[in-house]
Amino acid sequence: MTIGLQLLVFLILMMIGFYRTSGDAGVSVSSQRIRDTPMEDLQVWRSYSYSREEDDALRIALIARNTVQTRRIATDLAQQGYDIHHTTDIDAMFETVQTRPVDWDFIIFDLDLFDDLDACVDELMAFRLDCADIPVLLLSQSVKQDELSDHRRAIGDATLRKPVFRSRLLAGIDAMKSNFKAGESV
């Protein structure tokens, strides 16, 4: 009797497995497409925040590649009380910020996201014209050192060399805010 019961349970499990695999044929095709898509081509949109009683957390747009470094930056800022929205989709984020600029406190933009630096500069200059009230912190691996002055004022208020860690990130944000305020008074 025990053997018969075990055999019955085995057959039921086999039928369930067969039923699931035959019913998921469409799903397996779409998941195959996702596996074949290069990671750079997949758009990412993540939010990072730590629940606090304050509803007025500063809101930051982070436009950067989906890397461990970027996720670390977002996590560090979330721990500081910021509400971070990270994406690799430049156009979508710029459109989102331009739709309601009063909802955003500043943008962190990774210059290395673009392969063409000229196109990157053009995008940032156009954004700065449309949203002159939003400070921009630039990140780049190609700069020799942090540039905490407003040297690149046309596209950003301060620049940090990657990799960026918490203390330099916070110093860069302070410099960005100071440069932005100084630029407003000019």
Side-chain angles (χ1 to χ4, degrees):
M1 178 122 143
T2 305
I3 293 173
L5 185 59
Q6 288 177 345
L7 185 59
L8 180 63
V9 169
F10 176 74
L11 289 174
I12 290 172
L13 289 175
M14 290 296 291
M15 288 177 20
I16 291 172
F18 178 74
Y19 176 74
R20 284 188 178 177
T21 57
S22 66
D24 291 343
V27 173
S28 65
V29 171
S30 66
S31 66
Q32 180 65 33
R33 276 192 302 248
I34 291 171
R35 271 189 298 228
D36 293 342
T37 305
M39 289 303 288
E40 298 86 36
D41 294 342
L42 295 175
Q43 298 299 329
V44 171
W45 193 293
R46 290 191 177 103
S47 294
Y48 299 79
S49 63
Y50 281 80
S51 59
R52 299 206 174 170
E53 294 178 17
E54 308 159 6
D55 287 335
D56 58 343
L58 295 177
R59 197 171 197 199
I60 302 170
L62 172 58
I63 305 169
R65 291 181 199 236
N66 185 27
T67 64
V68 172
Q69 168 72 49
T70 302
R71 290 188 297 274
R72 181 79 248 159
I73 289 170
T75 302
D76 286 346
L77 290 174
Q79 289 173 346
Q80 297 294 316
Y82 293 102
D83 184 17
I84 314 300
H85 297 270
H86 167 224
T87 188
T88 57
D89 190 341
I90 299 161
D91 295 330
M93 183 59 86
F94 279 166
E95 184 178 321
T96 301
V97 173
Q98 289 169 338
T99 301
R100 291 216 16 106
V102 296
D103 292 344
W104 299 89
D105 294 287
F106 63 92
I107 288 182
I108 299 175
F109 189 92
D110 185 352
L111 292 169
D112 301 331
L113 188 58
F114 271 93
D115 292 330
D116 180 12
L117 187 59
D118 290 335
C120 177
V121 169
D122 291 344
E123 288 273 341
L124 281 166
M125 289 177 72
F127 175 79
R128 299 280 287 194
L129 287 174
D130 290 340
C131 295
D133 294 339
I134 298 179
V136 177
L137 178 64
L138 303 171
L139 306 177
S140 178
Q141 193 167 350
S142 61
V143 296
K144 292 180 182 175
Q145 63 185 17
D146 292 349
E147 180 60 54
L148 301 180
S149 70
D150 65 350
H151 176 71
R152 293 179 179 85
R153 180 79 181 122
I155 60 173
D157 298 294
T159 306
L160 296 176
R161 175 167 170 59
K162 294 188 315 186
V164 178
F165 298 100
R166 184 178 299 172
S167 62
R168 287 185 34 243
L169 178 62
L170 297 177
I173 290 171
D174 289 341
M176 172 201 64
K177 289 178 180 179
S178 296
N179 294 339
F180 183 76
K181 285 181 183 177
E184 283 184 321
S185 62
V186 173

Tab-separated table of all heavy atoms in Angstrom, residues 6-66:
chain	number	residue	atom	x	y	z
A	6	GLN	N	3.150	6.004	-2.834
A	6	GLN	CA	4.322	6.740	-3.305
A	6	GLN	C	4.315	6.851	-4.825
A	6	GLN	O	4.660	7.892	-5.388
A	6	GLN	CB	5.608	6.054	-2.825
A	6	GLN	CG	5.863	6.216	-1.353
A	6	GLN	CD	7.109	5.470	-0.900
A	6	GLN	OE1	7.627	4.624	-1.617
A	6	GLN	NE2	7.565	5.778	0.308
A	7	LEU	N	3.937	5.773	-5.498
A	7	LEU	CA	3.850	5.779	-6.950
A	7	LEU	C	2.789	6.772	-7.422
A	7	LEU	O	2.998	7.519	-8.380
A	7	LEU	CB	3.537	4.364	-7.469
A	7	LEU	CG	3.530	4.188	-8.979
A	7	LEU	CD1	4.876	4.572	-9.579
A	7	LEU	CD2	3.204	2.756	-9.333
A	8	LEU	N	1.660	6.835	-6.744
A	8	LEU	CA	0.592	7.766	-7.080
A	8	LEU	C	1.063	9.212	-6.899
A	8	LEU	O	0.830	10.068	-7.759
A	8	LEU	CB	-0.650	7.483	-6.220
A	8	LEU	CG	-1.855	8.387	-6.474
A	8	LEU	CD1	-2.362	8.197	-7.896
A	8	LEU	CD2	-2.933	8.110	-5.464
A	9	VAL	N	1.739	9.509	-5.808
A	9	VAL	CA	2.269	10.854	-5.547
A	9	VAL	C	3.289	11.218	-6.623
A	9	VAL	O	3.288	12.329	-7.168
A	9	VAL	CB	2.887	10.948	-4.130
A	9	VAL	CG1	3.680	12.238	-3.954
A	9	VAL	CG2	1.798	10.838	-3.076
A	10	PHE	N	4.150	10.285	-6.988
A	10	PHE	CA	5.151	10.515	-8.025
A	10	PHE	C	4.483	10.851	-9.354
A	10	PHE	O	4.886	11.794	-10.046
A	10	PHE	CB	6.062	9.286	-8.157
A	10	PHE	CG	7.055	9.398	-9.267
A	10	PHE	CD1	8.163	10.225	-9.152
A	10	PHE	CD2	6.878	8.688	-10.452
A	10	PHE	CE1	9.073	10.333	-10.179
A	10	PHE	CE2	7.782	8.793	-11.488
A	10	PHE	CZ	8.893	9.618	-11.351
A	11	LEU	N	3.474	10.097	-9.734
A	11	LEU	CA	2.764	10.334	-10.993
A	11	LEU	C	2.060	11.696	-10.979
A	11	LEU	O	2.054	12.412	-11.981
A	11	LEU	CB	1.767	9.213	-11.273
A	11	LEU	CG	2.386	7.864	-11.661
A	11	LEU	CD1	1.307	6.794	-11.758
A	11	LEU	CD2	3.151	7.980	-12.948
A	12	ILE	N	1.492	12.070	-9.867
A	12	ILE	CA	0.824	13.373	-9.752
A	12	ILE	C	1.843	14.498	-9.922
A	12	ILE	O	1.604	15.474	-10.642
A	12	ILE	CB	0.062	13.491	-8.417
A	12	ILE	CG1	-1.157	12.549	-8.424
A	12	ILE	CG2	-0.380	14.931	-8.158
A	12	ILE	CD1	-1.860	12.443	-7.093
A	13	LEU	N	3.000	14.363	-9.284
A	13	LEU	CA	4.048	15.376	-9.410
A	13	LEU	C	4.558	15.471	-10.845
A	13	LEU	O	4.833	16.567	-11.350
A	13	LEU	CB	5.200	15.093	-8.454
A	13	LEU	CG	4.893	15.318	-6.968
A	13	LEU	CD1	6.073	14.882	-6.111
A	13	LEU	CD2	4.558	16.773	-6.704
A	14	MET	N	4.680	14.338	-11.515
A	14	MET	CA	5.110	14.328	-12.913
A	14	MET	C	4.080	15.044	-13.797
A	14	MET	O	4.452	15.802	-14.689
A	14	MET	CB	5.317	12.883	-13.402
A	14	MET	CG	6.525	12.196	-12.786
A	14	MET	SD	8.073	12.969	-13.242
A	14	MET	CE	8.138	12.536	-14.963
A	15	MET	N	2.819	14.817	-13.545
A	15	MET	CA	1.769	15.453	-14.339
A	15	MET	C	1.753	16.966	-14.096
A	15	MET	O	1.587	17.747	-15.026
A	15	MET	CB	0.397	14.834	-14.022
A	15	MET	CG	0.255	13.437	-14.584
A	15	MET	SD	-1.269	12.537	-14.230
A	15	MET	CE	-2.453	13.706	-13.778
A	16	ILE	N	1.949	17.386	-12.865
A	16	ILE	CA	2.002	18.814	-12.547
A	16	ILE	C	3.184	19.456	-13.258
A	16	ILE	O	3.073	20.524	-13.860
A	16	ILE	CB	2.062	19.043	-11.018
A	16	ILE	CG1	0.731	18.660	-10.376
A	16	ILE	CG2	2.414	20.497	-10.702
A	16	ILE	CD1	0.764	18.666	-8.855
A	17	GLY	N	4.336	18.799	-13.195
A	17	GLY	CA	5.526	19.304	-13.884
A	17	GLY	C	5.314	19.396	-15.381
A	17	GLY	O	5.679	20.391	-16.022
A	18	PHE	N	4.732	18.383	-15.977
A	18	PHE	CA	4.450	18.386	-17.404
A	18	PHE	C	3.465	19.495	-17.764
A	18	PHE	O	3.645	20.213	-18.740
A	18	PHE	CB	3.899	17.017	-17.840
A	18	PHE	CG	3.536	16.971	-19.294
A	18	PHE	CD1	4.519	16.922	-20.266
A	18	PHE	CD2	2.201	16.996	-19.685
A	18	PHE	CE1	4.187	16.900	-21.602
A	18	PHE	CE2	1.855	16.981	-21.022
A	18	PHE	CZ	2.850	16.927	-21.995
A	19	TYR	N	2.452	19.650	-16.947
A	19	TYR	CA	1.445	20.677	-17.184
A	19	TYR	C	2.060	22.072	-17.140
A	19	TYR	O	1.797	22.921	-17.971
A	19	TYR	CB	0.308	20.557	-16.162
A	19	TYR	CG	-0.722	21.640	-16.277
A	19	TYR	CD1	-1.641	21.651	-17.317
A	19	TYR	CD2	-0.770	22.677	-15.346
A	19	TYR	CE1	-2.584	22.647	-17.434
A	19	TYR	CE2	-1.703	23.680	-15.457
A	19	TYR	CZ	-2.607	23.660	-16.496
A	19	TYR	OH	-3.538	24.666	-16.601
A	20	ARG	N	2.928	22.316	-16.173
A	20	ARG	CA	3.566	23.632	-16.033
A	20	ARG	C	4.502	23.920	-17.192
A	20	ARG	O	4.546	25.027	-17.698
A	20	ARG	CB	4.325	23.736	-14.712
A	20	ARG	CG	3.429	23.945	-13.547
A	20	ARG	CD	4.237	24.243	-12.322
A	20	ARG	NE	3.358	24.501	-11.198
A	20	ARG	CZ	3.780	24.728	-9.986
A	20	ARG	NH1	5.068	24.704	-9.729
A	20	ARG	NH2	2.925	24.958	-9.021
A	21	THR	N	5.295	22.962	-17.604
A	21	THR	CA	6.230	23.218	-18.695
A	21	THR	C	5.523	23.385	-20.022
A	21	THR	O	5.925	24.199	-20.836
A	21	THR	CB	7.280	22.097	-18.825
A	21	THR	OG1	6.620	20.844	-19.004
A	21	THR	CG2	8.195	22.072	-17.629
A	22	SER	N	4.457	22.670	-20.259
A	22	SER	CA	3.744	22.835	-21.528
A	22	SER	C	2.949	24.128	-21.534
A	22	SER	O	2.787	24.755	-22.566
A	22	SER	CB	2.816	21.640	-21.788
A	22	SER	OG	1.782	21.596	-20.830
A	23	GLY	N	2.480	24.600	-20.414
A	23	GLY	CA	1.715	25.850	-20.327
A	23	GLY	C	2.597	27.073	-20.377
A	23	GLY	O	2.142	28.163	-20.660
A	24	ASP	N	3.897	26.939	-20.133
A	24	ASP	CA	4.809	28.071	-20.089
A	24	ASP	C	5.606	28.232	-21.372
A	24	ASP	O	6.625	28.913	-21.396
A	24	ASP	CB	5.792	27.923	-18.916
A	24	ASP	CG	5.106	28.084	-17.568
A	24	ASP	OD1	3.984	28.617	-17.558
A	24	ASP	OD2	5.700	27.690	-16.558
A	25	ALA	N	5.165	27.647	-22.472
A	25	ALA	CA	5.924	27.724	-23.714
A	25	ALA	C	6.090	29.179	-24.154
A	25	ALA	O	7.157	29.593	-24.579
A	25	ALA	CB	5.242	26.915	-24.811
A	26	GLY	N	5.055	29.998	-24.062
A	26	GLY	CA	5.149	31.408	-24.445
A	26	GLY	C	6.075	32.182	-23.537
A	26	GLY	O	6.795	33.071	-23.963
A	27	VAL	N	6.078	31.841	-22.267
A	27	VAL	CA	6.936	32.521	-21.309
A	27	VAL	C	8.394	32.207	-21.591
A	27	VAL	O	9.255	33.067	-21.532
A	27	VAL	CB	6.551	32.138	-19.863
A	27	VAL	CG1	7.539	32.708	-18.876
A	27	VAL	CG2	5.142	32.592	-19.570
A	28	SER	N	8.683	30.960	-21.918
A	28	SER	CA	10.075	30.597	-22.157
A	28	SER	C	10.611	31.295	-23.396
A	28	SER	O	11.777	31.627	-23.455
A	28	SER	CB	10.226	29.080	-22.282
A	28	SER	OG	9.541	28.610	-23.426
A	29	VAL	N	9.775	31.561	-24.396
A	29	VAL	CA	10.225	32.285	-25.579
A	29	VAL	C	10.590	33.715	-25.210
A	29	VAL	O	11.633	34.218	-25.592
A	29	VAL	CB	9.131	32.265	-26.677
A	29	VAL	CG1	9.495	33.192	-27.809
A	29	VAL	CG2	8.941	30.846	-27.185
A	30	SER	N	9.739	34.383	-24.430
A	30	SER	CA	10.040	35.760	-24.066
A	30	SER	C	11.236	35.840	-23.132
A	30	SER	O	12.031	36.758	-23.230
A	30	SER	CB	8.823	36.431	-23.430
A	30	SER	OG	8.520	35.820	-22.200
A	31	SER	N	11.395	34.894	-22.238
A	31	SER	CA	12.558	34.937	-21.364
A	31	SER	C	13.829	34.666	-22.149
A	31	SER	O	14.887	35.163	-21.804
A	31	SER	CB	12.408	33.954	-20.205
A	31	SER	OG	12.408	32.635	-20.681
A	32	GLN	N	13.744	33.902	-23.224
A	32	GLN	CA	14.900	33.684	-24.084
A	32	GLN	C	15.330	34.999	-24.722
A	32	GLN	O	16.509	35.296	-24.812
A	32	GLN	CB	14.582	32.631	-25.167
A	32	GLN	CG	15.739	32.344	-26.104
A	32	GLN	CD	16.911	31.708	-25.384
A	32	GLN	OE1	16.741	30.952	-24.445
A	32	GLN	NE2	18.108	32.045	-25.802
A	33	ARG	N	14.352	35.830	-25.135
A	33	ARG	CA	14.686	37.134	-25.710
A	33	ARG	C	15.394	37.999	-24.687
A	33	ARG	O	16.334	38.706	-25.018
A	33	ARG	CB	13.416	37.833	-26.186
A	33	ARG	CG	12.966	37.418	-27.553
A	33	ARG	CD	11.890	38.368	-28.024
A	33	ARG	NE	10.779	38.392	-27.105
A	33	ARG	CZ	9.572	37.931	-27.369
A	33	ARG	NH1	9.302	37.441	-28.544
A	33	ARG	NH2	8.618	37.988	-26.465
A	34	ILE	N	14.960	37.962	-23.463
A	34	ILE	CA	15.596	38.764	-22.420
A	34	ILE	C	17.021	38.292	-22.195
A	34	ILE	O	17.937	39.091	-22.063
A	34	ILE	CB	14.776	38.714	-21.114
A	34	ILE	CG1	13.466	39.458	-21.319
A	34	ILE	CG2	15.551	39.297	-19.945
A	34	ILE	CD1	12.485	39.300	-20.193
A	35	ARG	N	17.237	36.983	-22.192
A	35	ARG	CA	18.597	36.472	-22.003
A	35	ARG	C	19.501	36.859	-23.148
A	35	ARG	O	20.681	37.062	-22.956
A	35	ARG	CB	18.576	34.947	-21.864
A	35	ARG	CG	18.392	34.485	-20.458
A	35	ARG	CD	18.615	33.018	-20.422
A	35	ARG	NE	17.601	32.411	-21.288
A	35	ARG	CZ	16.844	31.390	-20.952
A	35	ARG	NH1	17.013	30.809	-19.819
A	35	ARG	NH2	15.935	30.927	-21.770
A	36	ASP	N	18.973	36.957	-24.367
A	36	ASP	CA	19.783	37.302	-25.525
A	36	ASP	C	20.025	38.795	-25.663
A	36	ASP	O	20.852	39.218	-26.452
A	36	ASP	CB	19.127	36.777	-26.809
A	36	ASP	CG	19.133	35.259	-26.865
A	36	ASP	OD1	19.928	34.635	-26.118
A	36	ASP	OD2	18.351	34.696	-27.654
A	37	THR	N	19.292	39.632	-24.934
A	37	THR	CA	19.459	41.071	-24.998
A	37	THR	C	20.666	41.474	-24.161
A	37	THR	O	20.765	41.104	-23.000
A	37	THR	CB	18.202	41.791	-24.445
A	37	THR	OG1	17.077	41.323	-25.164
A	37	THR	CG2	18.338	43.290	-24.578
A	38	PRO	N	21.605	42.229	-24.754
A	38	PRO	CA	22.762	42.672	-23.968
A	38	PRO	C	22.314	43.515	-22.786
A	38	PRO	O	21.358	44.284	-22.888
A	38	PRO	CB	23.566	43.522	-24.960
A	38	PRO	CG	23.049	43.172	-26.309
A	38	PRO	CD	21.653	42.678	-26.129
A	39	MET	N	23.020	43.403	-21.679
A	39	MET	CA	22.633	44.116	-20.456
A	39	MET	C	22.599	45.627	-20.661
A	39	MET	O	21.798	46.316	-20.069
A	39	MET	CB	23.585	43.770	-19.310
A	39	MET	CG	23.414	42.356	-18.796
A	39	MET	SD	21.733	42.004	-18.247
A	39	MET	CE	21.689	42.962	-16.761
A	40	GLU	N	23.481	46.165	-21.531
A	40	GLU	CA	23.505	47.607	-21.735
A	40	GLU	C	22.211	48.101	-22.371
A	40	GLU	O	21.848	49.255	-22.252
A	40	GLU	CB	24.685	48.011	-22.629
A	40	GLU	CG	26.046	47.683	-22.048
A	40	GLU	CD	26.486	46.259	-22.379
A	40	GLU	OE1	26.190	45.763	-23.478
A	40	GLU	OE2	27.115	45.642	-21.524
A	41	ASP	N	21.534	47.214	-23.154
A	41	ASP	CA	20.333	47.624	-23.857
A	41	ASP	C	19.084	47.589	-22.980
A	41	ASP	O	18.048	48.118	-23.365
A	41	ASP	CB	20.106	46.729	-25.080
A	41	ASP	CG	21.198	46.930	-26.124
A	41	ASP	OD1	21.889	47.966	-26.055
A	41	ASP	OD2	21.365	46.055	-26.989
A	42	LEU	N	19.142	46.961	-21.823
A	42	LEU	CA	17.996	46.901	-20.927
A	42	LEU	C	17.940	48.182	-20.105
A	42	LEU	O	18.924	48.587	-19.508
A	42	LEU	CB	18.095	45.693	-20.003
A	42	LEU	CG	18.031	44.334	-20.675
A	42	LEU	CD1	18.253	43.234	-19.651
A	42	LEU	CD2	16.699	44.133	-21.369
A	43	GLN	N	16.783	48.832	-20.089
A	43	GLN	CA	16.627	50.061	-19.330
A	43	GLN	C	16.302	49.718	-17.878
A	43	GLN	O	15.518	48.826	-17.608
A	43	GLN	CB	15.510	50.917	-19.931
A	43	GLN	CG	15.781	51.347	-21.364
A	43	GLN	CD	17.031	52.186	-21.520
A	43	GLN	OE1	17.413	52.935	-20.623
A	43	GLN	NE2	17.678	52.057	-22.652
A	44	VAL	N	16.918	50.438	-16.976
A	44	VAL	CA	16.751	50.213	-15.547
A	44	VAL	C	16.067	51.427	-14.943
A	44	VAL	O	16.359	52.562	-15.306
A	44	VAL	CB	18.133	50.007	-14.876
A	44	VAL	CG1	18.018	49.982	-13.379
A	44	VAL	CG2	18.793	48.752	-15.393
A	45	TRP	N	15.149	51.183	-14.036
A	45	TRP	CA	14.564	52.273	-13.255
A	45	TRP	C	14.347	51.730	-11.853
A	45	TRP	O	13.512	50.873	-11.637
A	45	TRP	CB	13.253	52.752	-13.860
A	45	TRP	CG	12.820	54.062	-13.256
A	45	TRP	CD1	12.423	54.277	-11.974
A	45	TRP	CD2	12.770	55.321	-13.906
A	45	TRP	NE1	12.124	55.595	-11.785
A	45	TRP	CE2	12.327	56.263	-12.952
A	45	TRP	CE3	13.048	55.754	-15.193
A	45	TRP	CZ2	12.160	57.603	-13.253
A	45	TRP	CZ3	12.877	57.087	-15.485
A	45	TRP	CH2	12.441	57.999	-14.523
A	46	ARG	N	15.135	52.212	-10.910
A	46	ARG	CA	15.054	51.752	-9.522
A	46	ARG	C	14.874	52.954	-8.606
A	46	ARG	O	15.356	54.027	-8.893
A	46	ARG	CB	16.338	51.043	-9.120
A	46	ARG	CG	16.549	49.727	-9.761
A	46	ARG	CD	17.717	48.998	-9.069
A	46	ARG	NE	17.882	47.700	-9.641
A	46	ARG	CZ	18.823	47.378	-10.504
A	46	ARG	NH1	19.712	48.263	-10.876
A	46	ARG	NH2	18.912	46.162	-10.984
A	47	SER	N	14.238	52.704	-7.490
A	47	SER	CA	14.097	53.738	-6.464
A	47	SER	C	14.743	53.244	-5.185
A	47	SER	O	14.613	52.077	-4.832
A	47	SER	CB	12.621	54.047	-6.211
A	47	SER	OG	12.053	54.621	-7.349
A	48	TYR	N	15.421	54.148	-4.508
A	48	TYR	CA	16.069	53.846	-3.247
A	48	TYR	C	15.626	54.884	-2.235
A	48	TYR	O	15.722	56.081	-2.497
A	48	TYR	CB	17.596	53.949	-3.370
A	48	TYR	CG	18.238	53.007	-4.349
A	48	TYR	CD1	18.214	53.261	-5.717
A	48	TYR	CD2	18.890	51.873	-3.907
A	48	TYR	CE1	18.820	52.407	-6.620
A	48	TYR	CE2	19.503	51.010	-4.803
A	48	TYR	CZ	19.458	51.287	-6.155
A	48	TYR	OH	20.066	50.428	-7.036
A	49	SER	N	15.143	54.429	-1.109
A	49	SER	CA	14.818	55.348	-0.019
A	49	SER	C	14.715	54.544	1.262
A	49	SER	O	14.504	53.339	1.237
A	49	SER	CB	13.527	56.114	-0.287
A	49	SER	OG	12.447	55.224	-0.365
A	50	TYR	N	14.895	55.243	2.348
A	50	TYR	CA	14.721	54.627	3.658
A	50	TYR	C	13.539	55.308	4.292
A	50	TYR	O	13.465	56.532	4.330
A	50	TYR	CB	15.980	54.792	4.514
A	50	TYR	CG	17.041	53.799	4.129
A	50	TYR	CD1	17.850	54.016	3.030
A	50	TYR	CD2	17.203	52.634	4.846
A	50	TYR	CE1	18.806	53.097	2.656
A	50	TYR	CE2	18.157	51.705	4.481
A	50	TYR	CZ	18.953	51.945	3.385
A	50	TYR	OH	19.889	51.022	3.016
A	51	SER	N	12.590	54.512	4.720
A	51	SER	CA	11.372	55.104	5.267
A	51	SER	C	11.699	55.890	6.521
A	51	SER	O	12.356	55.412	7.429
A	51	SER	CB	10.338	54.022	5.566
A	51	SER	OG	10.856	53.087	6.487
A	52	ARG	N	11.259	57.099	6.493
A	52	ARG	CA	11.394	57.989	7.639
A	52	ARG	C	10.060	58.671	7.827
A	52	ARG	O	9.210	58.665	6.943
A	52	ARG	CB	12.476	59.028	7.381
A	52	ARG	CG	13.832	58.384	7.160
A	52	ARG	CD	14.892	59.312	7.532
A	52	ARG	NE	16.169	58.601	7.428
A	52	ARG	CZ	17.305	59.172	7.502
A	52	ARG	NH1	17.379	60.455	7.679
A	52	ARG	NH2	18.402	58.479	7.418
A	53	GLU	N	9.902	59.288	8.932
A	53	GLU	CA	8.651	59.981	9.194
A	53	GLU	C	8.524	61.241	8.344
A	53	GLU	O	7.443	61.742	8.128
A	53	GLU	CB	8.546	60.313	10.675
A	53	GLU	CG	8.424	59.061	11.523
A	53	GLU	CD	8.357	59.374	12.997
A	53	GLU	OE1	8.089	60.531	13.361
A	53	GLU	OE2	8.580	58.455	13.794
A	54	GLU	N	9.645	61.739	7.831
A	54	GLU	CA	9.622	62.953	7.025
A	54	GLU	C	9.186	62.614	5.605
A	54	GLU	O	9.752	61.756	4.960
A	54	GLU	CB	11.020	63.576	6.969
A	54	GLU	CG	11.633	63.761	8.331
A	54	GLU	CD	13.145	63.890	8.250
A	54	GLU	OE1	13.701	63.953	7.149
A	54	GLU	OE2	13.763	63.929	9.311
A	55	ASP	N	8.169	63.299	5.119
A	55	ASP	CA	7.725	63.099	3.750
A	55	ASP	C	8.426	64.033	2.781
A	55	ASP	O	8.230	63.952	1.581
A	55	ASP	CB	6.213	63.313	3.634
A	55	ASP	CG	5.432	62.158	4.243
A	55	ASP	OD1	5.986	61.053	4.311
A	55	ASP	OD2	4.272	62.379	4.640
A	56	ASP	N	9.243	64.941	3.302
A	56	ASP	CA	9.886	65.929	2.455
A	56	ASP	C	11.346	65.582	2.167
A	56	ASP	O	12.202	66.447	2.112
A	56	ASP	CB	9.769	67.310	3.078
A	56	ASP	CG	10.383	67.369	4.469
A	56	ASP	OD1	10.604	66.309	5.078
A	56	ASP	OD2	10.648	68.490	4.938
A	57	ALA	N	11.638	64.309	1.951
A	57	ALA	CA	13.001	63.887	1.622
A	57	ALA	C	13.401	64.499	0.287
A	57	ALA	O	12.583	64.641	-0.622
A	57	ALA	CB	13.080	62.361	1.543
A	58	LEU	N	14.665	64.889	0.190
A	58	LEU	CA	15.161	65.452	-1.055
A	58	LEU	C	15.135	64.373	-2.135
A	58	LEU	O	15.553	63.247	-1.913
A	58	LEU	CB	16.582	65.979	-0.868
A	58	LEU	CG	16.726	67.154	0.093
A	58	LEU	CD1	18.187	67.528	0.247
A	58	LEU	CD2	15.921	68.340	-0.381
A	59	ARG	N	14.653	64.733	-3.309
A	59	ARG	CA	14.480	63.781	-4.409
A	59	ARG	C	15.582	63.985	-5.440
A	59	ARG	O	15.762	65.084	-5.953
A	59	ARG	CB	13.120	64.025	-5.040
A	59	ARG	CG	12.641	62.912	-5.884
A	59	ARG	CD	11.212	63.205	-6.235
A	59	ARG	NE	10.549	62.025	-6.705
A	59	ARG	CZ	9.454	62.034	-7.403
A	59	ARG	NH1	8.879	63.185	-7.690
A	59	ARG	NH2	8.913	60.930	-7.799
A	60	ILE	N	16.283	62.903	-5.750
A	60	ILE	CA	17.423	62.969	-6.651
A	60	ILE	C	17.199	62.053	-7.847
A	60	ILE	O	16.809	60.900	-7.686
A	60	ILE	CB	18.712	62.529	-5.935
A	60	ILE	CG1	18.970	63.408	-4.718
A	60	ILE	CG2	19.898	62.559	-6.888
A	60	ILE	CD1	20.066	62.897	-3.838
A	61	ALA	N	17.517	62.559	-9.037
A	61	ALA	CA	17.530	61.746	-10.251
A	61	ALA	C	18.974	61.305	-10.483
A	61	ALA	O	19.870	62.140	-10.571
A	61	ALA	CB	17.029	62.553	-11.442
A	62	LEU	N	19.197	60.008	-10.547
A	62	LEU	CA	20.533	59.453	-10.790
A	62	LEU	C	20.507	58.784	-12.156
A	62	LEU	O	19.842	57.762	-12.350
A	62	LEU	CB	20.889	58.448	-9.690
A	62	LEU	CG	22.169	57.630	-9.861
A	62	LEU	CD1	23.394	58.535	-9.990
A	62	LEU	CD2	22.338	56.670	-8.698
A	63	ILE	N	21.217	59.360	-13.102
A	63	ILE	CA	21.276	58.820	-14.461
A	63	ILE	C	22.663	58.239	-14.643
A	63	ILE	O	23.649	58.969	-14.759
A	63	ILE	CB	21.001	59.918	-15.511
A	63	ILE	CG1	19.661	60.597	-15.219
A	63	ILE	CG2	21.050	59.337	-16.914
A	63	ILE	CD1	19.423	61.857	-16.027
A	64	ALA	N	22.724	56.909	-14.618
A	64	ALA	CA	24.026	56.230	-14.680
A	64	ALA	C	23.833	54.776	-15.082
A	64	ALA	O	22.725	54.243	-15.008
A	64	ALA	CB	24.716	56.310	-13.318
A	65	ARG	N	24.938	54.159	-15.470
A	65	ARG	CA	24.895	52.732	-15.806
A	65	ARG	C	24.503	51.926	-14.584
A	65	ARG	O	24.676	52.356	-13.450
A	65	ARG	CB	26.254	52.265	-16.304
A	65	ARG	CG	26.590	52.838	-17.637
A	65	ARG	CD	27.917	52.343	-18.133
A	65	ARG	NE	28.319	53.272	-19.158
A	65	ARG	CZ	28.613	52.941	-20.392
A	65	ARG	NH1	28.633	51.718	-20.741
A	65	ARG	NH2	28.924	53.837	-21.270
A	66	ASN	N	24.001	50.739	-14.837
A	66	ASN	CA	23.597	49.838	-13.768
A	66	ASN	C	24.826	49.054	-13.303
A	66	ASN	O	25.115	47.971	-13.798
A	66	ASN	CB	22.501	48.895	-14.280
A	66	ASN	CG	21.969	48.023	-13.195
A	66	ASN	OD1	21.997	48.381	-12.023
A	66	ASN	ND2	21.490	46.854	-13.564
